[in-house]
Amino acid sequence: MITTTDLTKVYRSRGREVTALDGVSLHVEPGEMYGVIGRSGAGKSTLIRCVNLLERPDSGTVTVDGQDLTALPGPRHRAGRSLRQARTGIGMIFQHFNLLSSRTVRGNVELPLEILGLTRRERARKALELLDLVGLADQARAYPAQLSGGQKQRVGIARALAGDPKVLLSDEATSALDPETTRSVLQLLRDLNRQLGLTVLLITHEMDVVKAVCDSAALMEKGRIVEAGVVSELLATPGSRLAHELFPVAGAVPGGDRTVVDITFHGDSAGQPVISHLARTHEVDVSILGAAMETVGGRQVGRMRIELPGHPDTNAAALAYLRERGLTVELPAQTAPATGPAPLDRSPAPTEQGPTDELAPEGTR
Amino acid sequence: MTWSQMEPLLTQGTIDTLYMVGWATFYAVLGGLPLGVLLVLTDKGGPLRNVVANRAIGVIVNVGRSLPFIILLVALIPFTRFVVGTAMGPTAAVVPLAIAAIPFFARLVETAIREVDHGLVEAAHAMGGGTWTVVGKVLLPQALPSLIAGLTTTVIALIGYSAMAGAVGGGGLGTLAYTYGYQRFEDEFMLVTVAVLLVIVTAVQLIGDGVVRLVTRRTRTG
């Protein structure tokens, strides 16, 4: 539904050059929710602006719904008629909502309908229909200043859906919202994705957003996509950085005669009492150093860092058992404090923090 | 000078002043609004970015703004005569007043429009809107309170300028204050004229503020 090939974009100002995009190729399947995650400055904002050509890439192509947008003629800095036409079929929502304070909620939703050239009556009908869809029909006459952040973003979503788009671009749409509101807005996006078959490309710096709603994800760093794929498959990939960042397991890896194992649960294995079974059948004392378990896309997934007494060689049978149960097993480097790459979130959720003490009692959070 | 002598003069003077300021304001909006919008659109980063056009408009506006009005008034006499047929009277005074007010208002329009959040412009573009959609449906409506405040400032500046127009026979309250109050040492007449001007300026400011409040009230309060 969305394909970018080899996008590059360099910003030049006062002799300095900043490479925002350095050969980005991305493919979003129809009906998919695709999350691009990265720190600020990674180029994700530029990437999403290139998809509807709010930014024109220096090179590379953008194809949305089979149409090569980069090939559409535009008189210099302005968008030509054909590009403007294509944009009416691509919805976009923003971090700071970008609603007109001079218009009512309904007036805001009607703006794209005015651009589409609908009559007054059609506009009113469609706007109320859209507001109903996002659960704000009763606020049609309110002004944006009278709404909460979550409500404003719902208006933004209603407005983005005005042109019956097949694609919705979300530019950090939940980053200005509190966690609870974030969840409800994400849930709305997920519902729209399911009900309308809407393809959603979202960019975020919050791993939780990807965890909560994304089918696929890409990790962006310094203008490049360093890893991309279907989330459930990434979790099953040993050494996946996204898997590490989605489920960062804390817990120092002590040296000495111990075996520290990072295991990733995905799919069916998550429902089984693997750890207690391991302890019983192999008669080993298992300490859980840290764990992060969650439901992703309706399935239980997560990662856990456990510790077994004895050298890894002596635990070969136990490790083989874990692999047999369909878990991904990794031995982190035995250098404390090895916790994988630093999480992207500056403040990881408490559930992702495991006990860090070597003698920590068993148990997960 | 008695009140019965003053009254017809004051009435005519007030009418002339309002006439001059009214028409000059009309032309200030007619010329200043598009110029101010173009100053923003042609600037770098704007959708119609054009360095030459932007500089040219900028120079015209700056020249118009830096000339002392009294100089402009005299310098424009041939032009005024060409346009109106005479350089005397309130109608003739409208010409220099309008020409002074257009760049004045244009700068205020530019400032007001620059204050509009760029995110809104981006949102309109993302919806498929073109430049004129952005101007007509985003920039002008969002800047409306600032535009009205700017217009109020322009009208009040014009009232001041119109008094100067009196010095070259423009008519209005300025002429009265100058010929009767200053040249004939009629201190009372001077005071009354100033009082009338004060009332007009205050009324304009109050009306302007009131309208600004009216258009912002619904958007700012919760």
Side-chain angles (χ1 to χ4, degrees):
Chain A
M1 185 55 80
I2 304 172
T3 305
T4 76
T5 49
D6 220 16
L7 288 184
T8 62
K9 177 83 186 177
V10 179
Y11 292 108
R12 291 176 186 83
S13 69
R14 295 201 197 91
R16 275 188 58 214
E17 288 198 354
V18 180
T19 306
L21 297 180
D22 188 8
V24 174
S25 298
L26 190 78
H27 181 71
V28 183
E29 293 289 334
E32 184 176 46
M33 283 193 85
Y34 196 110
V36 176
I37 187 152
R39 287 166 217 224
S40 36
K44 48 192 199 311
S45 207
T46 307
L47 172 62
I48 202 161
R49 276 172 172 67
C50 279
V51 172
N52 60 1
L53 258 63
L54 285 178
E55 297 270 6
R56 197 167 270 278
D58 295 336
S59 67
T61 60
V62 176
T63 309
V64 177
D65 196 18
Q67 190 178 23
D68 182 356
L69 300 185
T70 33
L72 297 176
R76 303 209 296 165
H77 312 288
R78 282 182 295 152
R81 183 180 296 274
S82 45
L83 175 57
R84 294 206 307 269
Q85 182 68 38
R87 279 179 182 162
T88 61
I90 304 172
M92 189 168 191
I93 53 176
F94 304 88
Q95 178 173 8
H96 298 296
F97 324 121
N98 293 348
L99 302 177
L100 301 185
S101 60
S102 57
R103 287 182 175 227
T104 60
V105 163
R106 197 182 103 184
N108 269 284
V109 180
E110 285 194 14
L111 178 58
L113 301 169
E114 288 167 24
I115 293 170
L116 285 167
L118 268 62
T119 65
R120 181 184 295 269
R121 183 170 302 191
E122 289 169 332
R123 290 202 304 266
R125 187 188 55 79
K126 180 86 181 171
L128 291 174
E129 201 178 285
L130 289 164
L131 285 172
D132 199 37
L133 189 65
V134 299
L136 276 180
D138 54 334
Q139 298 285 351
R141 288 155 168 275
Y143 281 89
Q146 298 164 309
L147 303 181
S148 69
Q151 289 175 319
K152 283 182 198 168
Q153 195 56 284
R154 283 167 186 269
V155 178
I157 292 169
R159 183 177 71 174
L161 295 176
D164 295 320
K166 292 183 179 168
V167 170
L168 181 70
L169 307 176
S170 164
D171 181 7
E172 297 272 8
T174 56
S175 300
L177 304 175
D178 61 69
E180 198 175 323
T181 313
T182 293
R183 268 193 293 280
S184 81
V185 167
L186 288 175
Q187 189 55 48
L188 173 64
L189 288 179
R190 188 70 187 167
D191 291 346
L192 294 169
N193 161 257
R194 295 255 167 81
Q195 286 169 21
L196 310 175
L198 191 67
T199 306
V200 180
L201 174 62
L202 62 85
I203 64 162
T204 182
H205 64 274
E206 295 170 311
M207 275 294 170
D208 284 343
V209 170
V210 174
K211 245 192 270 192
V213 291
C214 289
D215 302 304
S216 297
L219 177 65
M220 225 178 148
E221 253 174 24
K222 293 178 185 154
R224 292 170 169 277
I225 287 185
V226 293
E227 193 179 5
V230 177
V231 173
S232 55
E233 287 171 14
L234 286 172
L235 287 172
T237 309
S240 161
R241 289 203 38 203
L242 266 168
H244 272 278
E245 307 216 17
L246 281 170
F247 295 98
V249 281
V253 180
D257 206 15
R258 292 162 198 281
T259 307
V260 175
V261 187
D262 283 354
I263 50 185
T264 307
F265 297 83
H266 44 86
D268 303 331
S269 56
Q272 298 168 13
V274 179
I275 301 299
S276 65
H277 198 250
L278 170 73
R280 266 188 287 117
T281 54
H282 291 76
E283 292 188 351
V284 286
D285 294 319
V286 182
S287 300
I288 295 171
L289 300 180
M293 302 291 296
E294 210 141 337
T295 308
V296 175
R299 295 201 293 178
Q300 274 239 306
V301 290
R303 285 159 44 83
M304 189 181 280
R305 173 165 292 181
I306 59 170
E307 186 196 72
L308 310 172
H311 195 263
D313 296 341
T314 63
N315 284 313
L319 298 181
Y321 164 79
L322 290 172
R323 290 200 178 91
E324 214 170 87
R325 304 308 297 248
L327 304 177
T328 305
V329 176
E330 292 168 76
L331 300 177
Q334 299 268 332
T335 46
T339 54
L344 288 165
D345 274 358
R346 265 155 311 201
S347 55
T351 50
E352 294 168 355
Q353 296 282 1
T356 49
D357 189 343
E358 188 189 336
L359 302 170
E362 282 190 29
T364 64
R365 303 275 196 102
Chain B
M1 220 172 160
T2 63
W3 175 249
S4 59
Q5 283 173 301
M6 279 194 243
E7 206 209 318
L9 287 170
L10 279 172
T11 309
Q12 189 57 45
T14 306
I15 290 171
D16 287 349
T17 293
L18 293 179
Y19 170 86
M20 288 188 287
V21 171
W23 279 107
T25 304
F26 173 76
Y27 290 115
V29 174
L30 206 65
L33 195 63
L35 276 184
V37 171
L38 279 175
L39 272 172
V40 179
L41 295 184
T42 57
D43 200 6
K44 50 179 181 290
L48 304 178
R49 67 194 83 170
N50 183 328
V51 181
V52 179
N54 189 260
R55 289 273 163 76
I57 301 171
V59 166
I60 292 169
V61 167
N62 282 342
V63 168
R65 295 246 285 140
S66 43
L67 278 180
F69 182 65
I70 193 84
I71 307 290
L72 188 75
L73 201 60
V74 177
L76 281 176
I77 286 176
F79 178 70
T80 307
R81 208 169 266 140
F82 171 75
V83 176
V84 193
T86 173
M88 299 287 279
T91 306
V94 169
V95 177
L97 283 175
I99 286 175
I102 287 170
F104 186 90
F105 187 54
R107 278 291 178 212
L108 295 176
V109 170
E110 184 199 2
T111 316
I113 287 182
R114 279 194 201 285
E115 278 170 19
V116 177
D117 181 1
H118 187 73
L120 301 178
V121 175
E122 196 166 58
H125 280 146
M127 289 170 210
T131 305
W132 301 116
T133 304
V134 168
V135 172
K137 293 188 188 291
V138 177
L139 293 179
L140 293 180
Q142 285 292 123
L144 193 60
S146 306
L147 290 173
I148 292 169
L151 191 63
T152 309
T153 309
T154 306
V155 171
I156 288 169
L158 277 172
I159 293 169
Y161 285 170
S162 78
M164 268 188 259
V168 293
L173 292 169
T175 308
L176 294 183
Y178 186 69
T179 51
Y180 291 86
Y182 179 71
Q183 291 181 329
R184 295 194 196 171
F185 302 102
E186 299 270 7
D187 290 346
E188 289 153 33
F189 196 90
M190 176 74 92
L191 279 175
V192 175
T193 316
V194 170
V196 174
L197 282 170
L198 184 67
V199 169
I200 296 176
V201 168
T202 310
V204 168
Q205 188 68 57
L206 283 177
I207 293 169
D209 290 350
V211 176
V212 170
R213 221 173 299 127
L214 204 71
V215 293
T216 22
R217 191 186 54 202
R218 54 184 194 185
T219 61
R220 300 274 156 85
T221 56

